[in-house]
Amino acid sequence: MRRTVIAGNWKMNKTFSEAEDFFISLTDALNEKPEDEFDNLEVIVCPPAVFLELATDFSVESPLSIGGQDVSAENQGAFTGEISADMYNSIQVDYCIVGHSERRKYHSESDSLINMKIKRLLENEVTPIFCIGETLEQRENDITKEVIISQLENGLADINMEDEVIIAYEPVWAIGTGKVATPEQAQEIHQEIRNWLNYKYGKEIAENTILLYGGSMKPANELELLKQPDIDGGLIGGASLVNDTFEEMIDIALQLRG
Ligand code: PEP
């Protein structure tokens, strides 16, 4: 059975003391629950890189995993400002978002660069959370499925998927806009992704790959999205910044799948 994943992407938000307060409250809330509730549910927080060590200090004592928001396509060397997958591995950062639409848009990240980043993460035992999704224009032009398949084909080129890769379907028009894909719209694309995985890698990989939905997910729409057969959790931006909201979203996932 695939585990449910509730992952928060803080983007460029919070100061050190805000981050510390958040982790105190979140880990207190998680530690109050029986440990076995987290057998099928994984909670991940992806803070800005400067707070990762703080975050992993908290994660050691609680059922919380930590992820980066981006990674270098290179292993090491003269790449000012970059962070390598090996560095993440060395501080117990187990996940990393890659190919987020904001990186594609503001940093012109191509599918082939994203493919290199996924390879660096896998080589260093960090699980990629690989984001794909269509723009509003692409959806209106009825090319959503072609866009998704092309991002999958290119982003996962030469990757055998024996190591875990989490895929997050995030329609660009739903990110940070308050517009959420309907459960049916999201399920349709998730099913398409799983069908593609089946065709490309076989039944076992297709059935075991975790697929997340991302795009204005919040307590009010989470349950209906998570009820869809091919949606295994959420990548949550804005709603992951507020303790009460994020903790409520963890509770909703636990009630459904824990
Ligand atoms: C995201 O940044 O991945 C995201 C889904 O953001 P939001 O939940 O704010 O739409």
Side-chain angles (χ1 to χ4, degrees):
M1 192 179 121
R2 298 186 295 272
R3 67 192 190 285
T4 300
V5 171
I6 295 295
N9 172 16
W10 284 5
K11 314 190 187 194
M12 196 173 71
N13 287 293
K14 294 193 189 291
T15 61
F16 185 89
S17 63
E18 287 166 351
E20 191 171 38
D21 289 347
F22 180 96
F23 284 119
I24 291 170
S25 167
L26 177 63
T27 51
D28 281 353
L30 296 179
N31 288 338
E32 269 172 19
K33 301 181 196 299
E35 249 177 68
D36 63 359
E37 290 212 0
F38 295 96
D39 288 351
N40 296 320
L41 174 75
E42 180 145 29
V43 179
I44 306 172
V45 173
C46 305
V50 286
F51 306 142
L52 283 171
E53 223 185 323
L54 169 78
T56 54
D57 284 348
F58 279 97
S59 72
V60 171
E61 300 292 334
S62 83
L64 169 67
S65 300
I66 301 302
Q69 295 182 9
D70 182 40
V71 67
S72 173
E74 305 294 337
N75 274 324
Q76 69 168 91
F79 301 100
T80 302
E82 295 277 58
I83 299 170
S84 72
D86 182 35
M87 292 172 188
Y88 284 143
N89 176 294
S90 72
I91 58 162
Q92 287 80 49
V93 169
D94 294 327
Y95 294 88
C96 184
I97 297 169
V98 63
H100 193 281
S101 62
E102 288 152 15
R103 303 273 335 158
R104 292 178 190 259
K105 181 174 172 189
Y106 301 123
H107 301 269
S108 307
E109 292 202 2
S110 64
D111 287 336
S112 63
L113 181 78
I114 292 163
N115 175 255
M116 285 169 70
K117 292 183 174 198
I118 294 174
K119 287 176 179 160
R120 296 298 87 74
L121 290 170
L122 293 174
E123 284 158 12
N124 287 282
E125 294 169 11
V126 179
T127 299
I129 302 175
F130 169 39
C131 300
I132 56 175
E134 82 287 4
T135 62
L136 183 60
E137 194 186 356
Q138 289 164 335
R139 177 160 280 266
E140 285 174 349
N141 287 331
D142 209 15
I143 55 167
T144 298
K145 288 181 185 170
E146 288 86 336
V147 170
I148 297 300
I149 300 299
S150 155
Q151 289 172 336
L152 287 167
E153 289 278 0
N154 296 319
L156 296 177
D158 306 319
I159 288 168
N160 66 25
M161 298 290 281
E162 291 302 323
D163 299 315
E164 181 169 63
V165 176
I166 294 177
I167 299 173
Y169 168 57
E170 301 206 302
V172 179
W173 48 272
I175 297 179
T177 58
K179 282 185 203 149
V180 66
T182 64
E184 296 71 27
Q185 282 174 324
Q187 167 58 24
E188 186 190 0
I189 303 302
H190 280 243
Q191 190 176 23
E192 190 73 21
I193 297 168
R194 213 173 290 288
N195 288 345
W196 179 84
L197 288 167
N198 189 22
Y199 155 78
K200 192 86 183 174
Y201 300 101
K203 195 164 173 246
E204 201 179 322
I205 299 277
E207 282 180 356
N208 289 329
T209 300
I210 292 175
L211 305 183
L212 308 183
Y213 168 78
S216 298
M217 203 190 229
K218 49 183 180 279
N221 56 36
E222 178 188 4
L223 187 65
E224 291 310 313
L225 287 160
L226 292 192
K227 277 186 188 164
Q228 302 305 310
D230 289 301
I231 301 182
D232 304 314
L235 181 55
I236 302 155
S240 74
L241 291 169
V242 180
N243 275 105
D244 286 352
T245 314
F246 192 56
E247 288 161 26
E248 187 183 346
M249 294 182 81
I250 294 165
D251 285 340
I252 290 168
L254 275 176
Q255 278 157 24
L256 192 68
R257 308 261 180 90

Short mmCIF file of all heavy atoms in Angstrom, two decimals, residues 111-123 128 130 149-163 165 196 200-201:
data_model
loop_
_atom_site.label_atom_id
_atom_site.label_comp_id
_atom_site.label_asym_id
_atom_site.label_seq_id
_atom_site.Cartn_x
_atom_site.Cartn_y
_atom_site.Cartn_z
N ASP A 111 13.58 20.93 -18.66
CA ASP A 111 13.38 19.52 -18.29
C ASP A 111 14.73 18.79 -18.18
O ASP A 111 14.90 17.94 -17.32
CB ASP A 111 12.51 18.80 -19.34
CG ASP A 111 11.05 19.22 -19.24
OD1 ASP A 111 10.61 19.65 -18.16
OD2 ASP A 111 10.34 19.09 -20.25
N SER A 112 15.68 19.14 -19.06
CA SER A 112 16.95 18.40 -19.01
C SER A 112 17.77 18.78 -17.77
O SER A 112 18.44 17.93 -17.16
CB SER A 112 17.77 18.58 -20.29
OG SER A 112 18.12 19.91 -20.43
N LEU A 113 17.70 20.04 -17.34
CA LEU A 113 18.37 20.43 -16.09
C LEU A 113 17.71 19.71 -14.90
O LEU A 113 18.40 19.18 -14.01
CB LEU A 113 18.29 21.95 -15.88
CG LEU A 113 18.99 22.45 -14.62
CD1 LEU A 113 20.49 22.51 -14.83
CD2 LEU A 113 18.48 23.82 -14.19
N ILE A 114 16.39 19.67 -14.93
CA ILE A 114 15.64 19.00 -13.85
C ILE A 114 16.02 17.52 -13.80
O ILE A 114 16.20 16.94 -12.73
CB ILE A 114 14.12 19.23 -14.06
CG1 ILE A 114 13.80 20.71 -13.84
CG2 ILE A 114 13.28 18.33 -13.15
CD1 ILE A 114 12.47 21.16 -14.41
N ASN A 115 16.17 16.92 -14.98
CA ASN A 115 16.58 15.51 -15.06
C ASN A 115 17.95 15.31 -14.39
O ASN A 115 18.15 14.35 -13.63
CB ASN A 115 16.62 15.11 -16.54
CG ASN A 115 17.15 13.71 -16.75
OD1 ASN A 115 18.27 13.52 -17.19
ND2 ASN A 115 16.33 12.72 -16.43
N MET A 116 18.88 16.24 -14.61
CA MET A 116 20.21 16.13 -13.97
C MET A 116 20.08 16.26 -12.46
O MET A 116 20.74 15.54 -11.69
CB MET A 116 21.14 17.23 -14.49
CG MET A 116 21.65 16.99 -15.90
SD MET A 116 22.47 18.44 -16.58
CE MET A 116 23.96 18.51 -15.60
N LYS A 117 19.21 17.16 -12.02
CA LYS A 117 19.03 17.35 -10.57
C LYS A 117 18.44 16.09 -9.93
O LYS A 117 18.87 15.68 -8.84
CB LYS A 117 18.10 18.55 -10.31
CG LYS A 117 18.72 19.87 -10.71
CD LYS A 117 17.81 21.04 -10.37
CE LYS A 117 18.53 22.36 -10.67
NZ LYS A 117 17.93 23.51 -10.01
N ILE A 118 17.48 15.48 -10.61
CA ILE A 118 16.89 14.24 -10.07
C ILE A 118 17.97 13.17 -9.95
O ILE A 118 18.06 12.45 -8.95
CB ILE A 118 15.71 13.76 -10.96
CG1 ILE A 118 14.57 14.78 -10.88
CG2 ILE A 118 15.23 12.37 -10.53
CD1 ILE A 118 13.40 14.49 -11.82
N LYS A 119 18.83 13.09 -10.95
CA LYS A 119 19.91 12.09 -10.91
C LYS A 119 20.86 12.35 -9.73
O LYS A 119 21.26 11.42 -9.03
CB LYS A 119 20.70 12.09 -12.22
CG LYS A 119 19.89 11.46 -13.36
CD LYS A 119 20.63 11.54 -14.67
CE LYS A 119 19.81 10.88 -15.77
NZ LYS A 119 20.20 11.32 -17.11
N ARG A 120 21.23 13.60 -9.51
CA ARG A 120 22.13 13.92 -8.38
C ARG A 120 21.46 13.52 -7.06
O ARG A 120 22.10 12.97 -6.17
CB ARG A 120 22.47 15.42 -8.31
CG ARG A 120 23.25 16.02 -9.46
CD ARG A 120 24.62 15.44 -9.66
NE ARG A 120 24.61 14.26 -10.49
CZ ARG A 120 24.44 14.26 -11.83
NH1 ARG A 120 24.30 15.37 -12.49
NH2 ARG A 120 24.44 13.12 -12.51
N LEU A 121 20.17 13.80 -6.94
CA LEU A 121 19.47 13.45 -5.69
C LEU A 121 19.48 11.94 -5.48
O LEU A 121 19.82 11.46 -4.39
CB LEU A 121 18.03 13.98 -5.71
CG LEU A 121 17.88 15.50 -5.63
CD1 LEU A 121 16.45 15.92 -5.92
CD2 LEU A 121 18.30 16.01 -4.23
N LEU A 122 19.14 11.19 -6.52
CA LEU A 122 19.08 9.73 -6.37
C LEU A 122 20.45 9.15 -6.06
O LEU A 122 20.58 8.24 -5.24
CB LEU A 122 18.48 9.10 -7.63
CG LEU A 122 17.00 9.43 -7.87
CD1 LEU A 122 16.54 8.87 -9.21
CD2 LEU A 122 16.12 8.91 -6.75
N GLU A 123 21.50 9.69 -6.70
CA GLU A 123 22.86 9.21 -6.42
C GLU A 123 23.22 9.41 -4.94
O GLU A 123 24.06 8.71 -4.40
CB GLU A 123 23.89 9.99 -7.26
CG GLU A 123 23.94 9.59 -8.72
CD GLU A 123 24.54 10.69 -9.61
OE1 GLU A 123 25.13 11.67 -9.08
OE2 GLU A 123 24.41 10.56 -10.84
N PRO A 128 13.63 12.62 -4.62
CA PRO A 128 13.11 13.82 -5.30
C PRO A 128 11.59 13.91 -5.19
O PRO A 128 10.91 12.88 -5.25
CB PRO A 128 13.50 13.59 -6.78
CG PRO A 128 14.41 12.41 -6.79
CD PRO A 128 14.14 11.61 -5.56
N PHE A 130 9.31 15.45 -7.55
CA PHE A 130 9.43 15.98 -8.92
C PHE A 130 8.10 16.61 -9.34
O PHE A 130 7.08 15.93 -9.43
CB PHE A 130 9.82 14.80 -9.82
CG PHE A 130 9.76 15.06 -11.30
CD1 PHE A 130 10.14 16.26 -11.86
CD2 PHE A 130 9.33 14.04 -12.16
CE1 PHE A 130 10.09 16.48 -13.23
CE2 PHE A 130 9.26 14.24 -13.53
CZ PHE A 130 9.64 15.46 -14.07
N ILE A 149 3.00 14.50 -20.09
CA ILE A 149 3.78 13.34 -20.56
C ILE A 149 5.17 13.78 -21.00
O ILE A 149 6.17 13.12 -20.71
CB ILE A 149 3.04 12.61 -21.73
CG1 ILE A 149 1.65 12.12 -21.30
CG2 ILE A 149 3.89 11.46 -22.30
CD1 ILE A 149 1.63 11.12 -20.17
N SER A 150 5.25 14.92 -21.66
CA SER A 150 6.56 15.40 -22.10
C SER A 150 7.45 15.74 -20.89
O SER A 150 8.65 15.43 -20.87
CB SER A 150 6.33 16.60 -23.02
OG SER A 150 7.43 17.43 -23.02
N GLN A 151 6.87 16.35 -19.85
CA GLN A 151 7.66 16.65 -18.64
C GLN A 151 8.12 15.35 -17.97
O GLN A 151 9.25 15.27 -17.47
CB GLN A 151 6.82 17.49 -17.65
CG GLN A 151 6.61 18.92 -18.14
CD GLN A 151 5.63 19.70 -17.26
OE1 GLN A 151 4.79 19.13 -16.57
NE2 GLN A 151 5.72 21.02 -17.32
N LEU A 152 7.26 14.35 -17.98
CA LEU A 152 7.65 13.06 -17.39
C LEU A 152 8.76 12.39 -18.21
O LEU A 152 9.77 11.95 -17.67
CB LEU A 152 6.43 12.12 -17.32
CG LEU A 152 5.35 12.43 -16.28
CD1 LEU A 152 4.10 11.61 -16.56
CD2 LEU A 152 5.86 12.15 -14.87
N GLU A 153 8.54 12.33 -19.53
CA GLU A 153 9.52 11.67 -20.42
C GLU A 153 10.90 12.31 -20.27
O GLU A 153 11.91 11.61 -20.15
CB GLU A 153 9.10 11.81 -21.89
CG GLU A 153 7.91 11.00 -22.31
CD GLU A 153 8.26 9.54 -22.65
OE1 GLU A 153 9.44 9.17 -22.55
OE2 GLU A 153 7.32 8.79 -22.98
N ASN A 154 10.94 13.65 -20.29
CA ASN A 154 12.23 14.34 -20.27
C ASN A 154 12.82 14.42 -18.86
O ASN A 154 14.02 14.25 -18.68
CB ASN A 154 12.09 15.74 -20.87
CG ASN A 154 11.71 15.66 -22.33
OD1 ASN A 154 12.22 14.82 -23.06
ND2 ASN A 154 10.78 16.50 -22.75
N GLY A 155 11.98 14.69 -17.89
CA GLY A 155 12.46 14.81 -16.51
C GLY A 155 12.97 13.49 -15.97
O GLY A 155 13.89 13.45 -15.15
N LEU A 156 12.38 12.39 -16.42
CA LEU A 156 12.77 11.07 -15.89
C LEU A 156 13.61 10.27 -16.89
O LEU A 156 13.79 9.07 -16.71
CB LEU A 156 11.51 10.28 -15.49
CG LEU A 156 10.68 10.89 -14.34
CD1 LEU A 156 9.42 10.08 -14.08
CD2 LEU A 156 11.51 10.98 -13.05
N ALA A 157 14.14 10.94 -17.90
CA ALA A 157 14.95 10.22 -18.91
C ALA A 157 16.13 9.51 -18.25
O ALA A 157 16.80 10.08 -17.38
CB ALA A 157 15.47 11.23 -19.95
N ASP A 158 16.33 8.25 -18.61
CA ASP A 158 17.44 7.43 -18.09
C ASP A 158 17.37 7.18 -16.58
O ASP A 158 18.40 6.94 -15.95
CB ASP A 158 18.81 8.05 -18.43
CG ASP A 158 18.95 8.32 -19.90
OD1 ASP A 158 18.52 7.47 -20.68
OD2 ASP A 158 19.46 9.41 -20.25
N ILE A 159 16.20 7.31 -16.02
CA ILE A 159 16.04 7.01 -14.59
C ILE A 159 15.20 5.75 -14.50
O ILE A 159 14.13 5.66 -15.14
CB ILE A 159 15.38 8.21 -13.86
CG1 ILE A 159 16.41 9.34 -13.78
CG2 ILE A 159 14.87 7.82 -12.47
CD1 ILE A 159 15.88 10.66 -13.36
N ASN A 160 15.69 4.75 -13.74
CA ASN A 160 14.97 3.47 -13.80
C ASN A 160 13.82 3.34 -12.79
O ASN A 160 13.08 2.38 -12.82
CB ASN A 160 15.94 2.29 -13.69
CG ASN A 160 16.59 2.24 -12.32
OD1 ASN A 160 16.04 2.72 -11.33
ND2 ASN A 160 17.78 1.65 -12.25
N MET A 161 13.72 4.30 -11.88
CA MET A 161 12.63 4.35 -10.91
C MET A 161 12.68 3.22 -9.88
O MET A 161 11.72 3.03 -9.15
CB MET A 161 11.25 4.37 -11.60
CG MET A 161 10.99 5.56 -12.48
SD MET A 161 10.80 7.11 -11.57
CE MET A 161 9.13 7.00 -10.97
N GLU A 162 13.80 2.51 -9.81
CA GLU A 162 13.93 1.51 -8.73
C GLU A 162 14.07 2.25 -7.40
O GLU A 162 13.60 1.79 -6.37
CB GLU A 162 15.17 0.61 -8.96
CG GLU A 162 15.05 -0.33 -10.14
CD GLU A 162 13.86 -1.28 -10.05
OE1 GLU A 162 13.55 -1.73 -8.94
OE2 GLU A 162 13.24 -1.55 -11.10
N ASP A 163 14.76 3.40 -7.44
CA ASP A 163 14.82 4.26 -6.25
C ASP A 163 13.56 5.12 -6.26
O ASP A 163 13.03 5.44 -7.33
CB ASP A 163 16.04 5.18 -6.30
CG ASP A 163 17.33 4.37 -6.32
OD1 ASP A 163 17.43 3.42 -5.54
OD2 ASP A 163 18.20 4.70 -7.14
N VAL A 165 11.00 7.97 -6.47
CA VAL A 165 10.78 9.34 -6.94
C VAL A 165 9.31 9.65 -6.67
O VAL A 165 8.44 8.91 -7.12
CB VAL A 165 11.06 9.48 -8.46
CG1 VAL A 165 10.75 10.90 -8.94
CG2 VAL A 165 12.50 9.12 -8.81
N TRP A 196 0.95 6.16 -17.49
CA TRP A 196 2.25 6.35 -18.18
C TRP A 196 3.35 5.57 -17.45
O TRP A 196 4.18 4.92 -18.10
CB TRP A 196 2.59 7.85 -18.22
CG TRP A 196 3.91 8.12 -18.89
CD1 TRP A 196 4.14 8.24 -20.22
CD2 TRP A 196 5.19 8.25 -18.23
NE1 TRP A 196 5.49 8.45 -20.45
CE2 TRP A 196 6.14 8.47 -19.24
CE3 TRP A 196 5.60 8.23 -16.91
CZ2 TRP A 196 7.50 8.65 -18.97
CZ3 TRP A 196 6.95 8.40 -16.62
CH2 TRP A 196 7.88 8.60 -17.65
N LYS A 200 5.57 2.63 -19.07
CA LYS A 200 7.02 2.85 -19.17
C LYS A 200 7.83 1.90 -18.28
O LYS A 200 8.89 1.43 -18.67
CB LYS A 200 7.28 4.30 -18.75
CG LYS A 200 8.63 4.84 -19.05
CD LYS A 200 8.71 5.39 -20.43
CE LYS A 200 10.11 5.86 -20.71
NZ LYS A 200 10.26 6.28 -22.09
N TYR A 201 7.34 1.68 -17.05
CA TYR A 201 8.14 0.95 -16.06
C TYR A 201 7.49 -0.33 -15.54
O TYR A 201 8.10 -1.06 -14.77
CB TYR A 201 8.43 1.84 -14.84
CG TYR A 201 9.18 3.10 -15.16
CD1 TYR A 201 8.51 4.31 -15.26
CD2 TYR A 201 10.56 3.07 -15.35
CE1 TYR A 201 9.20 5.48 -15.54
CE2 TYR A 201 11.25 4.24 -15.63
CZ TYR A 201 10.57 5.44 -15.73
OH TYR A 201 11.25 6.58 -16.01
#
